Amino acid sequence: MNAPVIGAEAGYAGAGSWSMATSWRYQKSDRHFRGNQEEEDRQAEGSEVINRIHMLELAITKTFSDRWSLTFGIPYFMMERSNALRDPSLPPNQFGNSPVVARTETQARGIGDITVVPRWWAFDPPTHPKFNLALGFGVKLPTGENNVQDTRQVRVDTPGTTTEPFEVENVVRTVDQSIQPGDGGFGIILDLQGFLRFGKNKGAAYLTGTYLINPSNTNGVATYRGNTSSLLPGAPGSEAYMSVPDQYLYRAGATWFPTSKLGFSLGARWEGVAVRDLIGGSNGFRRPGYAFSVEPGMTYTAGPHTFSLLVPIAAHRNRQKSVPDLEVPPRHGDAAFADYVVIFGYFRRF
């Protein structure tokens, strides 16, 4: 967004101007939660799922007038997921589970879902240099692949026995939903961004909110989670196909500018996946839940260039029950969350 809050020297973008923003986001998700309770035994026995996600994003904005702009967002993902393999022929570990003896990894990479978002300043920028509010209403296009497959290892079971030697075989399967570059659905983006300067331009408060409405129910991509009759397609609690969930991100905080170029910020960040979509069905497999984080950051602005670094640190995590979970109580799936996220950005006006 072309707001004069990302750096002390930054003002509104003029009509006819262009801007470019790039960002890199990294997170390692390996802390398992069911509800707001952490399953600490997963890491203790080495059975935790480990997701490593790198996301690069390019956003190009054209400003048409003092109040109107249009932003194209193009993400690119590089992701890998590591799962534990257990050997039931060995004695149980201290938690009463089959011990972990190996791990198998899958990967996915590619362009994600492209977004197109027009934004409009609620107040006339020339007369409101100290505060303003931008409203956005855009679309998400299903340009990201949602059926990436990779080779993974699975345990070979002999029917009726758990005493055979540990054996694995390679199979080609759809990778987990958490590392698919796209979700397979058209989406509607509701966006709000605002700022308020104070203290002779030495401080600024900010507020942002984005909600992605995904009207599609499921995308028809198999999850390979239908191994029992209760999970077959159409059955109560079925997770046979991937859901296309609503998502949200809200941020609020303040920035202090000790110099005309340097800024330090501290805020709160709340992001997650909805249990139920605002529009359409919410069936299929999803991991609804949210992370609430404390978000310190800093910016450095020099002329048209701004560099930023944000490190949201998780303070509260909650894996909520999905609609399939609610259909077959007391089932409650878990999810792996990150302890922190690193977001590095560069912004340039032309």
Side-chain angles (χ1 to χ4, degrees):
M1 149 178 172
N2 291 337
V5 70
I6 59 172
E9 292 183 347
Y12 286 101
S17 66
W18 292 82
S19 64
M20 177 193 71
T22 59
S23 65
W24 167 73
R25 170 175 172 150
Y26 170 76
Q27 67 183 71
K28 174 188 175 185
S29 301
D30 63 346
R31 302 283 293 276
H32 283 258
F33 283 79
R34 197 181 305 269
N36 58 12
Q37 299 298 312
E38 183 177 2
E39 299 182 317
E40 297 180 353
D41 58 312
R42 295 293 297 272
Q43 287 196 319
E45 68 172 1
S47 66
E48 76 277 18
V49 172
I50 305 173
N51 275 8
R52 291 183 173 89
I53 298 176
H54 296 263
M55 184 184 80
L56 303 173
E57 185 169 20
L58 172 66
I60 300 174
T61 299
K62 168 69 171 179
T63 302
F64 295 97
S65 69
D66 286 342
R67 304 181 77 164
W68 283 100
S69 66
L70 181 67
T71 299
F72 293 88
I74 307 171
Y76 184 85
F77 292 94
M78 296 173 288
M79 301 171 286
E80 60 183 40
R81 179 179 176 87
S82 174
N83 292 80
L85 290 172
R86 300 178 183 270
D87 186 355
S89 67
L90 296 177
N93 60 22
Q94 68 269 36
F95 302 99
N97 303 319
S98 299
V100 174
V101 295
R103 301 190 73 88
T104 181
E105 293 190 356
T106 51
Q107 299 181 358
R109 60 181 58 200
I111 292 176
D113 292 341
I114 292 174
T115 59
V116 183
V117 183
R119 289 190 176 90
W120 175 76
W121 288 111
F123 304 101
D124 189 33
T127 58
H128 292 82
K130 298 291 187 180
F131 68 92
N132 215 327
L133 187 68
L135 305 177
F137 184 82
V139 295
K140 175 187 67 69
L141 306 176
T143 52
E145 190 173 355
N146 66 340
N147 193 15
V148 174
Q149 296 184 333
D150 196 9
T151 301
R152 63 173 297 178
Q153 293 180 313
V154 298
R155 192 181 72 221
V156 179
D157 290 326
T158 300
T161 179
T162 58
T163 60
E164 77 279 359
F166 177 73
E167 296 181 359
V168 297
E169 67 178 5
N170 293 327
V171 298
V172 177
R173 287 184 177 178
T174 305
V175 302
D176 188 79
Q177 183 185 53
S178 62
I179 63 169
Q180 291 287 349
D183 61 27
F186 286 91
I188 302 169
I189 299 173
L190 305 179
D191 187 79
L192 179 149
Q193 302 185 31
F195 71 94
L196 171 66
R197 285 195 180 278
F198 54 84
K200 298 181 179 179
N201 286 342
K202 289 294 185 180
Y206 63 87
L207 172 69
T208 71
T210 302
Y211 192 95
L212 170 61
I213 300 172
N214 267 323
S216 299
N217 187 10
T218 60
N219 60 19
V221 177
T223 63
Y224 296 94
R225 301 177 69 89
N227 295 326
T228 66
S229 59
S230 63
L231 297 180
L232 293 176
S238 173
E239 294 182 327
Y241 298 117
M242 294 185 188
S243 184
V244 186
D246 286 6
Q247 301 177 48
Y248 54 86
L249 168 63
Y250 309 115
R251 300 171 58 236
T255 301
W256 170 58
F257 302 108
T259 73
S260 62
K261 299 181 182 296
L262 189 63
F264 296 97
S265 64
L266 183 64
R269 182 186 186 95
W270 181 25
E271 60 183 324
V273 173
V275 175
R276 297 182 185 273
D277 294 346
L278 289 180
I279 301 174
S282 306
N283 299 319
F285 177 68
R286 70 173 69 182
R287 295 184 179 93
Y290 59 85
F292 182 83
S293 304
V294 177
E295 186 178 75
M298 63 179 298
T299 62
Y300 180 80
T301 300
H305 309 278
T306 295
F307 301 88
S308 64
L309 176 65
L310 297 173
V311 186
I313 301 170
H316 179 76
R317 289 157 281 193
N318 189 336
R319 202 295 201 178
Q320 298 167 290
K321 289 186 177 183
S322 66
V323 167
D325 286 341
L326 295 170
E327 291 176 347
V328 286
R331 194 175 81 191
H332 190 165
D334 69 340
F337 290 81
D339 283 332
Y340 63 90
V341 180
V342 178
I343 306 171
F344 178 76
Y346 168 71
F347 177 84
R348 170 74 159 90
R349 282 187 183 161
F350 299 94

